Amino acid sequence: DFKVKGIRIDLSRSVIIGDTEKDIETGINAGVGRKILVRSGHAIPDERASRADVIVDSLAEAARLIAGGRSGALNRSTVEAR
């Protein structure tokens, strides 16, 4: 758990969204439960090597996944099937 100003955050149930593999590594190092890599209009050099749980085309798509409560159910095979 992580605590800021009296608010406890369960990082294992949290989501990090980033547009570089370094962002994903930060999430892994912090113990974040779900890591979403966003293409944001540019190619990811080696998507198959990414440690992200899911890779999406836009921040809006990542937000829809989270808002729909499905971020925990997504995995790499879901993305590769697209």
Side-chain angles (χ1 to χ4, degrees):
D1 286 1
F2 180 73
K3 191 173 181 179
V4 177
K5 294 185 181 182
I7 300 171
R8 187 174 299 267
I9 300 170
D10 182 352
L11 293 176
S12 70
R13 297 183 63 195
S14 297
V15 178
I16 189 168
I17 301 171
D19 63 352
T20 67
E21 195 62 29
K22 186 163 182 87
D23 297 328
I24 300 306
E25 293 297 325
T26 298
I28 291 167
N29 292 336
V32 175
R34 291 287 174 209
K35 285 79 57 194
I36 300 175
L37 184 60
V38 181
R39 290 185 187 99
S40 297
H42 62 273
I44 305 298
D46 189 0
E47 289 188 10
R48 293 198 184 274
S50 176
R51 295 180 66 194
D53 296 307
V54 65
I55 301 172
V56 297
D57 289 327
S58 68
L59 186 56
E61 185 178 355
R64 280 192 298 273
L65 292 174
I66 295 167
R70 296 178 304 173
S71 65
L74 292 177
N75 57 44
R76 292 300 293 276
S77 62
T78 305
V79 174
E80 291 171 3
R82 293 175 65 209

